[in-house]
Structures are given as structure tokens and as C-alpha cells.
Amino acid sequence: PGFGDQVVNAEKAEVMGVGLQVPRPDPDAGHEAAAVAQYRADVAERLRHVLSEKAFLEKASECAGRLQRAGGVPRAVEVMLT
């Protein structure tokens, strides 16, 4: 996540147990390439971790169930438009 509500959403995902956040680097001038390479490696490592740990799938399934029981996308649209 790099802008807007993405940072907050990443924090929420981590708190909910459905994902991991990867802090975006803020490198000093001249160190951008190394920071980008490290960021890519960090994202890949965290993604592999999330995909390999059953707990993330379980939490995501629980979350999906709650969303569906609450009415899913149609209900979310209705709430937003009223």
C-alpha cells in the first residue's frame, strides 16, 4: 500500500488476520534501486507466508462468511447509496 486508504486497509487486514502489511520504503537519495529491490523481496516473502499459512485462509473464510451473511456486495451498495 502506498497512498490513500491503502495503508489503513493493510493495517486492518493484519489486525483481522487476513494479510500482512509491508511498509513502503522511503529511501535516501541514491538508494532507491536497493530500496525497491528489498521492497519487492519483502512483498514476495510476505505473500508466500500468507499463502502458506492455513490461519490466513481460515480468517479470510470467516470474514467472507460474515460479509455474505450481512448481505454481501448488494447490501454494501445499498448502504453506500442511501
Side-chain angles (χ1 to χ4, degrees):
F3 62 91
D5 62 353
Q6 293 178 350
V7 173
V8 173
N9 290 340
E11 291 171 359
K12 288 179 183 179
E14 194 164 70
V15 167
M16 293 172 64
V18 299
L20 295 173
Q21 60 180 319
V22 182
R24 198 163 186 96
D26 185 18
D28 293 329
H31 298 277
E32 295 89 356
V36 168
Q38 184 61 55
Y39 184 63
R40 286 181 179 166
D42 292 345
V43 168
E45 186 276 324
R46 300 249 173 102
L47 182 57
R48 282 190 294 272
H49 181 76
V50 167
L51 293 174
S52 68
E53 292 291 327
K54 186 177 178 182
F56 289 104
L57 176 61
E58 291 170 352
K59 288 291 187 179
S61 294
E62 290 171 14
C63 184
R66 286 193 306 273
L67 290 170
Q68 191 62 36
R69 287 188 298 279
V73 172
R75 177 67 178 138
V77 170
E78 179 184 327
V79 168
M80 292 175 67
L81 296 178
T82 59

